[in-house]
Amino acid sequence: MTTAHDAVVLAGGAARRLGGVDKPGVRVGGRPLLDRVLAACAGARRTVVVGDPRPTVRPVRWTREERARSGPLAALDAGVTALLPSTDAGTATGTATDGAPEVLLALSADLPFLGDATVRRLLAALDAAPDAEAALFTDPEGRDQPLVAAYRTAPLRRALDGIRRAHQGLDDLPLRLLGERLRPVRVPSDPEEPLASFDCDTWEDIATARARIRDHGAVLDEWITAVKTELGIDLDVDTGVLLDLARDAAHGVARPAAPLTTFLVGYAAAKAAGDGTAPAEAVAEASRKAAALAQRWAAEQDEAG
């Protein structure tokens, strides 16, 4: 079972190396960078985005630093504060209140390859190390990534308050100060998501991310995810079954039959789901029937010579 958690996503930076463009809104694989990160942390009970409000793939709470674009520590503090009950704001003692999760994900909004598998690994690592106060992702070069991390909320608040007292504020301070005040467990890069901490700071980074999205091994999954997001569909689909169906229709009937058949299967599955059948089961059953029909159709042609 995944540890209950909240999430804070930092999306209010100046993006100077991108010429001041609205970086969270830059699209990679047809989806804004911010939406890609929000999809990765969709399991959070509450999500706060520190940045200017905009339409997003799922509902979030918005906040800003006291002084906009005043650095990642100030932004993280603003996000943490936004999750506090109003009577608890400004204090750093105790644990989460009102049943709120005691673990918080901290993520930057420019991580095009972050997936829920990395999020689960961070949460699991923190859960397995009760003395640790943070689970920090480390990139393939071994560098800590404090904005691909899970934190215990109370120690995080204490660390931020300690830095604030020591430096008379949090504005424009480096994130490394946070790591110096917390006991971390480190979560190394995983071969299944080797680019989880790849961030987009320059247009070259954006171009690299867009090219990688279109790599042969990933392009179908990326496309299906983009289409589901665009259409507001939350459904796990066996793409292999649908591709086999399209092949059978194209080869056994005619090439134009492939897209038409998959459309009709989708329509039939939606109708069955409306009558109470589980959506994934409805897709599988409609695909099975259509595939069997395509095979019978092809067999008749073979018999006719």
Side-chain angles (χ1 to χ4, degrees):
M1 184 176 66
T2 303
T3 302
H5 61 283
D6 291 324
V8 171
V9 180
L10 275 56
R16 293 183 182 89
R17 296 168 68 186
L18 286 170
V21 73
D22 174 28
K23 182 163 67 167
V26 172
R27 294 179 180 270
V28 173
R31 294 188 288 158
L33 285 169
L34 176 57
D35 279 354
R36 298 181 72 90
V37 173
L38 291 177
C41 64
R45 291 194 182 181
R46 299 175 297 172
T47 300
V48 168
V49 178
V50 185
D52 296 327
R54 72 193 63 220
T56 51
V57 69
R58 62 181 180 84
V60 300
R61 186 182 305 179
W62 296 93
T63 193
R64 285 244 57 153
E65 315 91 311
E66 289 186 11
R67 180 172 68 85
R69 298 176 176 82
S70 49
L73 277 181
L76 181 57
D77 183 66
V80 172
T81 300
L83 288 167
L84 297 176
S86 58
T87 56
D88 198 30
T91 68
T93 58
T95 59
T97 57
D98 295 343
E102 298 181 14
V103 172
L104 180 144
L105 285 170
L107 305 168
S108 61
D110 61 350
L111 302 166
F113 301 109
L114 180 69
D116 61 354
T118 295
V119 167
R120 290 195 302 270
R121 290 179 64 225
L122 288 167
L123 296 170
L126 191 59
D127 187 57
D131 292 334
E133 296 171 326
L136 302 178
F137 187 83
T138 57
D139 65 20
E141 287 73 41
R143 294 171 297 201
D144 289 344
Q145 301 294 319
L147 292 181
V148 187
Y151 296 91
R152 298 197 192 280
T153 307
L156 174 62
R157 291 170 57 196
R158 287 195 294 268
L160 289 167
D161 279 357
I163 297 169
R164 180 186 291 106
R165 289 192 299 269
H167 296 269
Q168 291 76 53
L170 296 173
D171 289 4
D172 304 317
L173 294 177
L175 280 167
R176 60 175 173 79
L177 295 177
L178 190 62
E180 295 171 0
R181 291 174 176 264
L182 295 170
R183 295 189 302 272
V185 59
R186 290 177 169 82
V187 179
S189 176
D190 187 90
E192 292 187 7
E193 289 193 335
L195 299 173
S197 63
F198 180 93
D199 57 353
C200 293
D201 290 328
T202 67
W203 286 114
E204 183 179 358
D205 294 335
I206 297 291
T208 297
R210 287 171 171 168
R212 287 183 178 272
I213 288 292
R214 287 163 173 77
D215 283 349
H216 179 71
V219 67
L220 275 182
D221 287 341
E222 284 288 345
W223 173 246
I224 292 299
T225 300
V227 171
K228 290 195 298 184
T229 300
E230 190 72 15
L231 300 180
I233 298 171
D234 183 13
L235 174 66
D236 289 329
V237 176
D238 188 337
T239 54
V241 169
L242 291 175
L243 289 173
D244 287 346
L245 169 60
R247 179 201 62 207
D248 291 343
H251 292 173
V253 184
R255 289 178 65 85
L260 295 172
T261 303
T262 52
F263 167 79
L264 292 171
V265 162
Y267 188 91
K271 184 175 183 299
D275 293 336
T277 305
E281 181 182 335
V283 171
E285 178 62 13
S287 298
R288 184 193 65 77
K289 289 181 177 178
L293 175 61
Q295 290 165 4
R296 294 196 302 270
W297 187 288
E300 288 180 9
Q301 290 181 315
D302 291 342
E303 290 173 2

